[in-house]
Amino acid sequence: MAFPKLLVLGTGGTIAGAARSATGKSYGAGEVAIDAIVSEVARLGLDVELVAKTIARIGSQDIGWDQWDALHREIAAAQGDDSIAGIIVTHGTDTAEETAYLLDLTLAAGKPVVLVGAMRPTDAVGSDGMRNFANAVQVARDDRAAHRGVMVVMGDAVFAAPDVRKAATSNINAFRGFPRGPIALATPSSIDWFAPPHREGSSARFAWPEALPRVAILTAGAGMDAKPVEALLGIGCKGIVIAGMGQGNAPRVVLDALADAVRSGVPVVRSTRVDEGLVDRNVEVDDDANGFVASRALGPAKARMLLMMLIASGITDQERIQANFDRP
Ligand code: ASP
């Protein structure tokens, strides 16, 4: 019997990291080629055929337009290829939430698409990469994973792209989901689903853009003034996400400067520097009067990706931007 064929797109990250010391702290992300990782996985006897392709060999802190464009192209082609059952992307954990969410917004929700990473490099004692990869295989080959959009598999948990975020710098259980927690639990020999798909319908929500605009995240801090807002406008930002205090708050002078930015045609989304929770409209900040958008469940990193996609798609008015944040 032929095994299901999975496409594995390698981008680097700690899952492809090498430390050359089982106990040392420092390592290089992306040093191990995806072919070497895939031949290692092939020895686990998972009853799948893995076909590897290198997109990049970088730490995901350096990921950007070129890699996203290549990933989108390869995954869209694989979705139309009847011989491929699912797609796995090996990725650094630092920006997995950004890549996963961008792809989720721009790909059809057909075959399973799974991002997987690791917190410890391949040669570290207690490395989590092989197990996470084996878990990702379980998800990518499972029919019940289809039509769920892009997912992230880390530490035996499966998260939907709009929910997932990195919440710890070094713990192997570093990922959390909000507002939904994990939608499934996976091990190398099992998978249990707990939640319905978050995607409505199967078509892509946005067409893949020609480019992405410059959108910055500004973190609010006590005692700050309006100069950072002026600086962002000065370098031509097309949109600003404020990682505000509490429910997306900021000092009065900063909010006034952001309201000026809105008046000059630069959309402003209020998110939060707090770990999780909703940012709602008109709680302490008068969004209606200032023209701001409330990020709802999206933290700053994903709010920036959505705002970039909206601006790239020509959606710049407050009401339509807010409507998109209301359904992340
Ligand atoms: N800096 C690394 C990266 O994101 C960290 C990791 O993969 O865990 O590529």
Side-chain angles (χ1 to χ4, degrees):
M1 193 188 73
F3 292 143
K5 184 155 115 184
L6 304 179
L7 175 66
V8 182
L9 300 170
T11 70
T14 302
I15 192 166
R20 281 168 289 276
S21 152
T23 53
K25 262 195 178 166
S26 56
Y27 68 95
E31 286 186 8
V32 182
I34 192 62
D35 297 294
I37 297 171
V38 160
S39 5
E40 197 63 25
V41 178
R43 297 201 319 210
L44 300 177
L46 294 171
D47 295 349
V48 281
E49 184 191 346
L50 300 173
V51 182
K53 201 162 192 173
T54 305
I55 300 292
R57 289 178 63 178
I58 55 176
S60 71
Q61 60 276 14
D62 289 323
I63 212 150
W65 174 258
D66 290 348
Q67 296 78 26
W68 288 330
D69 193 40
L71 281 173
H72 189 273
R73 198 172 39 248
E74 293 288 345
I75 297 171
Q79 283 183 326
D81 179 343
D82 289 342
S83 73
I84 293 175
I87 300 110
I88 295 176
V89 179
T90 57
H91 199 287
T93 61
D94 289 350
T95 62
E97 67 185 275
E98 277 127 302
T99 299
Y101 189 46
L102 179 65
L103 293 174
D104 190 55
L105 291 171
T106 53
L107 285 165
K111 292 173 188 169
V113 179
V114 183
L115 259 76
V116 64
M119 294 301 289
R120 297 176 181 151
T122 50
D123 48 358
V125 63
S127 171
D128 52 333
M130 265 312 117
R131 185 180 178 93
N132 290 347
F133 200 126
N135 294 346
V137 165
Q138 285 295 341
V139 179
R141 62 176 295 176
D142 188 347
D143 291 343
R144 292 166 299 171
H147 305 292
R148 288 179 179 269
V150 178
M151 289 161 282
V152 174
V153 171
M154 282 294 294
D156 291 4
V158 183
F159 299 95
D163 304 327
V164 72
R165 73 181 193 291
K166 189 174 184 178
T169 56
S170 56
N171 186 330
I172 59 166
N173 288 318
F175 279 66
R176 299 278 180 278
F178 180 82
R180 283 158 293 215
I183 55 171
L185 294 178
T187 73
S189 58
S190 67
I191 178 156
D192 290 282
W193 293 95
F194 301 113
H198 73 277
R199 292 274 298 247
E200 292 162 16
S202 58
S203 44
R205 185 159 152 196
F206 296 100
W208 187 246
E210 295 283 305
L212 288 169
R214 186 195 292 270
V215 171
I217 299 169
L218 177 64
T219 302
M224 77 188 283
D225 63 17
K227 295 277 181 221
V229 178
E230 290 158 20
L232 292 181
L233 297 174
I235 57 166
C237 277
K238 300 287 183 263
I240 297 175
V241 173
I242 177 96
M245 305 135 170
Q247 275 235 18
N249 223 329
R252 184 73 262 156
V253 284
V254 174
L255 293 175
D256 288 346
L258 290 170
D260 286 344
V262 173
R263 279 189 282 276
S264 73
V266 174
V268 171
V269 175
R270 291 189 308 105
S271 184
T272 177
R273 66 181 197 180
V274 174
D275 206 25
E276 66 181 38
L278 296 178
V279 172
D280 279 327
R281 287 188 67 76
N282 303 317
V283 177
E284 275 192 90
V285 176
D286 191 341
D287 293 306
D288 292 345
N290 290 305
F292 300 150
V293 170
S295 74
R296 304 279 292 144
L298 292 184
K302 286 192 290 287
R304 172 173 167 264
M305 301 313 285
L306 179 55
L307 185 55
M308 287 200 293
M309 270 313 307
L310 290 165
I311 296 170
S313 310
I315 298 171
T316 53
D317 66 283
Q318 185 206 353
E319 248 174 68
R320 287 177 73 204
I321 296 177
Q322 185 65 64
N324 275 279
F325 276 84
D326 288 342
R327 53 156 284 211

